[in-house]
Structure formats: structure tokens, C-alpha cells
Amino acid sequence: MKLDARREALLKRTFLDFRQTAEFLEHPLIFKRAEGLYCWDIEGRRYFDAIGGVFVAALGHGNPRVLDAMRRQMERMTFAPPLHGIADVTLDFIEKLGSVAPGNLKYVKPFSGGSESTESAMKFARQYFKQTGHPGKYKFISRYHGYHGSTGAAMSASGTGTRKTKFEPQMPGFLKVFPPTHYRSQFADWDECNRFAARAIEDVIVAEDPDTVAGVMVEPIGNTGGIITPTAEYFQIIREICDRYNVLLIFDEVITGFGKTGRMFAAQTFGVTPDILCCGKGISNGAIPLAAMIAREDMAAAFWGRPEDDVQFAHGNTFAGNPLACAAGIAVIDEIVERRLAEHAAEMGEYLAAKLESLKKYGVVREVRGKGILRGVELVKDPRTMEPYPELGMALKSTSVENGLILRVDPTWFAVAPALTAEKQDIDEMCALIERALVQALERVSGRQAIVQER
Ligand SMILES: Cc1ncc(COP(=O)(O)O)c(C=O)c1O
């Protein structure tokens, strides 16, 4: 893309998320329009959006029902005085989200972004313990390779290399364990690897003193670690450990929520109900910032009292529960439920996984992971040695965009999560683009023609 002087100057006046502007200016990409599974840049070039922006547009860009709901709400009210009351539509949203959340997760606090929801969940947990006779419980255990957001506590709970070290020291009271993949090479058996990783959490709780541990925060499927997909048993073990030591289990479903894993939430896919669930991204289909924290209904009792007790949740954000955002959120949930899109994603996910598995023929794919339409592919130099292949990922970053494909590449793995509405022919189209981009990347890196290998 050729940039005019004005746009180039403007790009130098801002910064892109996690990206070097100087590098971006070599291959800039400025979007103008999006619809369904596609985005268009300012030159009119079309891109297949294999990740719904960034795991956001779960219904496809510009879903008409969501936009209509927002238009109708816009005519009524776009902001309600938060220190005096709450918008009626926000109550509707609380009811709607509670109706699709697992178990007795019914206590809903809406927010404007994933980081707000994870940050608030940790504040909520600490205040909860202070008001239920366990004031010493303040520590959080989370996982290396995880990402929970950009704010203080969310960043401290995150365990992703330089995204975290640049801002260290982290807040005190944040401890990390490894997700199951880290131990993989030490266990021949994947189930055993998961059991070991789950039990490591108990070891940390005991070593730290259970009376000081407030919560365990995990992404059910870890995106930044490369779509790390533990077994259902892994979560069952963690659930039992949390119950044993009165530690809250917090699921960060900012990516996995809203149908991608084949159920509304990954908690339902894995059959384990957390005490607090954080969600964002797909919740508004990207039409407007929205997120939410959903806690066990009975936990709310700890925040119930007379004004002089001062036990109310000491927390708020100006745009939390914004009427336009809540109208969008209701429409998203209605679309997913009425069109049975989570079930559709489960079915299409199997088709997608089989297509991605077929990439193993090029000898650089170790594993295809994920659930539903959220899938990740790990790239290796040789599946037998399992040596990572970041050079290939770096090349794939370029060849995917050159082929009109928006893909998440990191660079030892890549991930896809097309809209829940994607049909077989859409997945065929996306996978053909992925294959072409991968072959070109392989040829660019190896300097030879990519060959289909015998298996
Ligand atoms: C798992 C997870 N949690 C939290 C966040 C933070 O969300 P946001 O960027 O909306 O603040 C993200 C963002 O990518 C995420 O992937």
C-alpha cells in the first residue's frame, strides 16, 4: 500500500498496539470498510478476516441486528447518569447475560473492555474476602504465557515475556505456574501432563499459605501461549483445588466467550463452572466497546448492607454499562442463541480442524489445537524434534497479508477464529488462503519449493 504524506505523518503521531511504527510504515495497512467475513483497505483491496478483527466480530462484521439495536437505543438514550441510576437497557443486558452464563453466575457488572473486566474481577475477589472473614487472602495465581490485559493487576497476572517485563516490577501478590504445554516434553501422556500442571497449582497455594491466596485466574484456552487447550480434567482438578482451599476460580473468557468454542462459554465446553467469569471482545461483535464480569450470585451478599457499613463494591467506570453497548450485547446474545451459532461453530470447527490438520503434509506443523472455530496451529522445523520455527511465522505474517488474509501469527504458531456464521465454503476459502500463504512463507524461508511429505 502506498501512503500519502498526510496519513504517514498521522501514523507517526500515534502508536499501534504492540507494533513498531517504523516497521509498519514499510507495509502499512489502513482499513476503510468491513462486512461479514471481509475487510477492505483504503485502496479497495479485500481481506478474509480469519480472526474477526482480533477475536471480536464473532457474528461477522456489521451484523444488521446489532446495528439496528444500537440505532434504536441511540434514539432513546446514549448515556445514563451512573452515580444516580442505571439505564433500563443495562438491566435488560444483565438479565440476558445471566441467562446464558453457566451455573449460578448471575451477578453481572458490565465494563468497556477485557482489561477492565479482569482488573475488576481481582478487585472484587479481594474485597469479597475482606468482607467474608478472610482479609489476608489477596494473592492471585495465573499462568506463564497468559494475557489478561493492559492495566496494573491484569498485567501483573499476565505472563507473556516482554509485554510484562517492560513494566516490571509487577504488583506484589501475583504468582505464576506453567500451563500444561510447558511440561509436554517430560510426559509421554498428554492427560498426565495436564494432571501435573493442574496439581502444581495446589503446590503453590500450599507453599504460599492458603490463607493468603484469593484466586486462580486462567484463560480456558490460552491464546498468547498458542491456543493452549488443556483437557477437561485439568479444569476439574483446578476446580477441586480451589474449593478445597477457598480460592476463587476466575476464568478469563475475553477470547473464548460467545460461541467460539462450541458453547456460549468455554466453561460450558469444558464442563467446569468458575466463581467469576470475565468476558469482552465478541460480546458486542466489535460494534462498540463492551465487556463484563459475571460472578456467583451468592457472592453478592457480601456486598449487601447499609450505607454506613461501606461494603458495596468500591468500583466504577464512567462508560461501564453504557446503554448503546448494552443494546449491542443483548442483540449479540439473541443472535447466537436464536440462530444456534455456537452449535454451528462446533460443527464447523470439526471441519476446520480437519482442514488445518492436512497442513501437516508440509512437515512444519506439530499440532492443531483448540475447540470449535477457535483453532491454533503450532509451527516447527521438524515435528520429530519439535524445534520451534519462528522464522516461518515471521514470513507467514507477511505472506498472509499479501494474500489478503488477516491471521493471528505469533510467530511460532498461528490462530484462526472466523465468524460463527462461517459456512463450509467460507472455511474452504480461508484454508486455501492459509495454505497458499504458508507454502509461500516456507519457500521464502527455506529458499526451496515446499514439498508435500510422505507420512
Ligand atoms: C484473554 C484476554 N484477556 C484480557 C484481554 C484484554 O482485553 P482488552 O484488550 O479488551 O482490554 C485480552 C485482550 O486481548 C485477552 O486476550
Side-chain angles (χ1 to χ4, degrees):
M1 173 180 289
K2 187 88 191 82
L3 272 194
D4 55 280
R6 178 184 152 270
R7 284 194 173 97
E8 184 170 338
L10 288 172
L11 275 167
K12 288 179 183 163
R13 271 204 236 150
T14 183
F15 42 79
L16 298 143
D17 289 4
F18 308 108
R19 182 116 198 228
Q20 174 52 248
T21 305
E23 181 217 17
F24 180 75
L25 283 173
E26 286 170 24
H27 301 284
L29 183 51
I30 302 176
F31 294 106
K32 188 87 177 176
R33 191 167 79 78
E35 193 183 325
L37 291 155
Y38 302 99
C39 297
W40 285 263
D41 68 19
I42 48 172
E43 291 174 348
R45 190 157 178 259
R46 195 179 81 163
Y47 299 80
F48 192 107
D49 190 352
I51 51 169
V54 60
F55 306 105
V56 164
L59 305 174
H61 292 282
N63 176 276
R65 185 174 190 163
V66 176
L67 300 183
D68 277 350
M70 287 173 66
R71 262 184 225 109
R72 272 184 275 115
Q73 181 58 41
M74 209 179 285
E75 298 302 324
R76 283 195 290 270
M77 177 176 236
T78 56
F79 194 82
L83 299 180
H84 297 76
I86 186 166
D88 202 26
V89 67
T90 305
L91 290 179
D92 295 340
F93 172 69
I94 289 165
E95 181 180 39
K96 185 67 73 181
L97 188 55
S99 75
V100 293
N104 70 340
L105 299 186
K106 301 270 177 251
Y107 182 94
V108 176
K109 178 87 181 122
F111 295 110
S112 305
S115 306
E116 267 184 22
S117 76
T118 52
E119 188 85 15
S120 309
M122 289 185 272
K123 286 178 73 177
F124 184 80
R126 281 187 178 173
Q127 194 181 334
Y128 169 77
F129 281 122
K130 282 203 166 61
Q131 293 173 182
T132 52
H134 303 280
K137 277 183 169 286
Y138 73 98
K139 295 176 189 166
F140 292 97
I141 301 170
S142 54
R143 303 186 308 186
Y144 287 108
H145 307 301
Y147 181 70
H148 298 293
S150 60
T151 49
M155 192 82 265
S156 298
S158 301
T160 43
T162 56
R163 273 201 201 180
K164 116 182 140 62
T165 53
K166 280 187 201 302
F167 306 103
E168 283 179 350
Q170 295 191 327
M171 286 167 63
F174 285 82
L175 307 143
K176 307 278 183 318
V177 292
F178 281 103
T181 45
H182 183 74
Y183 305 106
R184 180 155 211 159
S185 54
Q186 296 153 53
F187 288 93
D189 182 50
W190 175 235
D191 289 329
E192 199 48 44
C193 170
N194 274 266
R195 285 178 204 126
F196 183 85
R199 287 179 190 139
I201 293 177
E202 179 165 26
D203 294 341
V204 175
I205 293 176
V206 171
E208 288 290 328
D209 177 357
D211 286 344
T212 66
V213 182
V216 170
M217 180 179 273
V218 289
E219 295 164 73
I221 294 182
N223 169 51
T224 38
I227 310 296
I228 296 173
T229 312
T231 58
E233 188 191 11
Y234 172 83
F235 293 109
Q236 279 153 20
I237 295 173
I238 297 179
R239 177 69 275 179
E240 284 161 22
I241 293 169
C242 287
D243 289 344
R244 198 171 309 138
Y245 297 101
N246 189 21
V247 166
L248 297 172
L249 178 58
I250 307 172
F251 272 8
D252 176 349
E253 294 229 28
V254 169
I255 286 189
T256 53
F258 299 95
K260 292 189 196 82
T261 67
R263 300 286 300 272
M264 188 60 85
F265 293 103
Q268 292 144 333
T269 302
F270 287 106
V272 167
T273 305
D275 302 293
I276 305 178
L277 190 154
C278 302
C279 54
K281 291 193 188 272
I283 190 171
S284 65
N285 203 41
I288 185 165
L290 179 65
M293 179 198 100
I294 322 171
R296 272 178 15 222
E297 195 172 22
D298 59 284
M299 290 175 75
F303 298 83
W304 190 260
R306 294 163 301 166
E308 57 273 28
D309 298 334
D310 196 23
V311 292
Q312 64 279 2
F313 188 23
H315 185 77
N317 295 93
T318 301
F319 292 115
N322 175 274
L324 277 187
C326 287
I330 294 167
V332 165
I333 296 171
D334 283 342
E335 275 285 85
I336 296 176
V337 172
E338 287 172 25
R339 293 175 61 190
R340 299 181 59 78
L341 291 176
E343 293 83 345
H344 182 68
E347 193 189 324
M348 287 302 118
E350 294 305 315
Y351 184 70
L352 168 61
K355 297 217 80 157
L356 293 173
E357 283 283 342
S358 78
L359 295 175
K360 285 186 173 165
K361 63 183 178 237
Y362 295 108
V364 288
V365 169
R366 170 182 160 194
E367 192 176 48
V368 177
R369 300 190 277 256
K371 297 265 181 202
I373 46 89
L374 176 60
R375 299 281 168 171
V377 176
E378 188 178 346
L379 302 170
V380 284
K381 287 202 172 121
D382 180 336
R384 282 161 303 190
T385 62
M386 297 190 194
E387 190 185 342
Y389 206 169
E391 306 90 319
L392 179 62
M394 291 307 291
L396 181 63
K397 269 190 187 192
S398 306
T399 55
S400 52
V401 174
E402 286 160 24
N403 279 283
L405 175 67
I406 306 295
L407 202 60
R408 173 82 164 90
V409 190
D410 197 354
T412 55
W413 52 270
F414 70 85
V416 295
L420 308 175
T421 49
E423 299 291 349
K424 274 189 179 163
Q425 64 271 21
D426 302 314
I427 288 170
D428 289 343
E429 181 185 343
M430 180 182 83
C431 289
L433 288 170
I434 292 174
E435 184 163 358
R436 196 186 314 155
L438 184 67
V439 166
Q440 286 173 9
L442 195 49
E443 292 178 349
R444 208 169 277 182
V445 172
S446 66
R448 59 176 171 79
Q449 211 180 347
I451 343 164
V452 172
Q453 301 185 355
E454 294 294 329
R455 279 198 287 160

